[in-house]
Amino acid sequence: MKLRNVIQNGIRSFSTGKIVFSRFRSATTPTLKEIGLLLPSTNAAPFEAGQIFIHRTFAYKGVVVCSFPCRLHEKRSQQNSENFSEKHLTTRDFYQVLIHRHDWSHMGFPVDITSYLVDAPMENKRHGQKMLTLINGMDCVSHEDIIPFTPAGGVNFDHDLFDHIFNAAHDGSGLYNVAMKPELVERYTNSNRSWLGPRDVYRERTENIEVTVMTFYLGANMVGGQQQHMWRYVIRIENKKPEQGVILRERTLKVYSLNNMNQMHGHGVVGKQPELNAATPAFQFSSTLELKHTKGGHMWGRFKMERENGVLFDVHIPTIVFESTEEINETPIAAPDAA
């Protein structure tokens, strides 16, 4: 993939040399701004905490917090070949990352897709009730999503949690060095927070639309006096041929758990009918699910898409398994007093 084509949204292009440039959308003639030096990208070792990068699809600037090896289940259906599909199971590196605040407005998905459970206030704690807490500007990305670079000049990273997790400074040559605080390295290197690391990742392509689903086990909670196991899932929809634009019109999700079937149907997702085109080739959103048991949960479904000529077609949401028997660590990722 050519470097000048990898940035689709607010950041529009790179130079082909060693120095990274970006071109931002504006009503006036665009100007180039130097933001740093490209680094060699590798498929071998995971990126280290503190690595600054550009997201290959959503075009935001991010920083790696921690990494997790994760099972990736892939299935690709072939058009006009109803009985043929390819299935693959591999292990890939996935990362929890912070997103630069200035990019939240153009990254193309809701800012609050990351959540976890914490203890409720004292009056409710005795009932075992917990609260769902949101983190703005945090994402989970795959290794291939990351284009690593070293920021230069006056480029700094803006996020509420950044200073609590990292030490950062400009060196003598003007480059911006970022490293996790020494006292936090072991905590995140050996993290057992299951709400941070995806349990499984599922991916399926129907024609040219790819759907990726990441699942996270958040833990047990008391809901209405009954124990429920809460999961978070993130669904990413990407148009692999964005020059042929589509609109996401409807969604249908089915959840099966121990002989109980529930169906969710609605227009668009999170109150929107996103367009997947050359300007915004992908969209992602997050939701939570409560199940009575740690095993036996499945979810699947479809998106109804509309082409530019008005033709409708269905895109499969892969079958997802919700199973966990692990205890989780619910400590916040970086409370101010943890630094």
Side-chain angles (χ1 to χ4, degrees):
M1 179 179 293
K2 296 182 180 179
L3 290 176
R4 65 174 181 269
N5 293 330
V6 299
I7 302 302
Q8 302 287 347
N9 210 340
I11 303 172
R12 300 300 299 173
S13 65
F14 287 142
S15 73
T16 55
K18 294 183 179 180
I19 298 178
V20 183
F21 289 87
S22 61
R23 186 175 68 203
F24 296 87
R25 285 189 297 182
S26 172
T28 60
T29 302
T31 58
L32 290 176
K33 178 182 178 182
E34 180 182 337
I35 63 173
L37 299 176
L38 282 174
L39 299 176
S41 184
T42 174
N43 292 323
F47 294 109
E48 295 183 357
Q51 176 63 62
I52 303 290
F53 67 92
I54 297 292
H55 194 288
R56 188 176 299 272
T57 300
F58 290 115
Y60 63 68
K61 183 169 69 176
V63 59
V64 171
V65 175
C66 49
S67 63
F68 302 87
C70 182
R71 293 176 299 185
L72 173 63
H73 309 257
E74 289 189 279
K75 178 181 177 182
R76 296 191 175 184
S77 302
Q78 302 296 318
Q79 188 176 12
N80 299 325
S81 299
E82 183 177 346
N83 297 321
F84 176 75
S85 62
E86 296 178 310
K87 296 182 180 180
H88 300 278
L89 176 61
T90 56
T91 298
R92 303 281 184 86
D93 289 315
F94 283 78
Y95 305 83
Q96 280 291 349
V97 305
L98 303 180
I99 304 170
H100 185 46
R101 187 186 307 274
H102 294 179
D103 297 337
W104 291 4
S105 61
H106 76 249
M107 62 189 181
F109 60 88
V111 71
D112 58 352
I113 66 170
T114 301
S115 59
Y116 62 98
L117 289 173
V118 296
D119 287 337
M122 191 59 68
E123 60 270 21
N124 294 322
K125 187 175 181 180
R126 64 179 180 272
H127 300 298
Q129 182 178 341
K130 297 177 182 178
M131 297 175 57
L132 194 65
T133 300
L134 299 173
I135 300 178
N136 288 331
M138 192 172 192
D139 192 13
C140 186
V141 305
S142 66
H143 191 87
E144 58 265 28
D145 287 331
I146 291 178
I147 302 174
F149 77 99
T150 299
V155 177
N156 294 297
F157 200 92
D158 184 10
H159 192 284
D160 291 340
L161 297 177
F162 184 79
D163 291 335
H164 298 306
I165 301 175
F166 299 105
N167 291 322
H170 291 88
D171 63 17
S173 64
L175 294 179
Y176 191 51
N177 291 327
V178 179
M180 180 171 284
K181 294 185 176 183
E183 63 270 25
L184 299 180
V185 170
E186 185 175 357
R187 176 186 300 181
Y188 289 107
T189 301
N190 301 312
S191 179
N192 64 341
R193 299 177 177 88
S194 67
W195 66 268
L196 272 179
R199 174 52 47 89
D200 284 281
V201 179
Y202 302 86
R203 182 174 293 161
E204 182 168 352
R205 185 182 297 188
T206 305
E207 299 186 30
N208 298 316
I209 309 300
E210 187 172 84
V211 177
T212 302
V213 185
M214 293 179 283
T215 62
F216 303 82
Y217 179 60
L218 305 188
N221 193 16
M222 294 301 293
V223 180
Q226 294 185 343
Q227 179 173 272
Q228 300 282 347
H229 294 272
M230 181 168 285
W231 292 80
R232 176 172 70 92
Y233 59 88
V234 178
I235 298 182
R236 171 172 161 179
I237 314 106
E238 182 175 0
N239 187 352
K240 289 298 186 176
K241 287 191 175 181
E243 67 277 8
Q244 301 173 6
V246 298
I247 300 175
L248 197 165
R249 292 300 189 191
E250 297 178 7
R251 75 186 186 283
T252 300
L253 285 171
K254 296 181 179 181
V255 179
Y256 176 86
S257 178
L258 295 180
N259 297 323
N260 291 319
M261 175 78 77
N262 293 307
Q263 179 168 306
M264 297 167 283
H265 179 81
H267 295 287
V269 290
V270 293
K272 299 180 179 180
Q273 293 185 326
E275 297 184 32
L276 308 180
N277 51 35
T280 55
F283 183 82
Q284 66 180 7
F285 65 97
S286 178
S287 188
T288 57
L289 181 68
E290 296 172 351
L291 300 174
K292 290 184 178 181
H293 303 275
T294 57
K295 290 189 175 183
H298 293 75
M299 184 176 77
W300 67 95
R302 61 175 176 81
F303 293 117
K304 187 169 290 294
M305 316 295 289
E306 182 181 351
R307 303 187 192 278
E308 293 177 337
N309 60 5
V311 174
L312 298 173
F313 66 102
D314 288 340
V315 170
H316 300 156
I317 299 172
T319 299
I320 303 144
V321 178
F322 295 101
E323 290 191 350
S324 176
T325 58
E326 297 181 7
E327 296 296 326
I328 69 167
N329 183 334
E330 294 155 350
T331 305
I333 183 170
D337 59 356

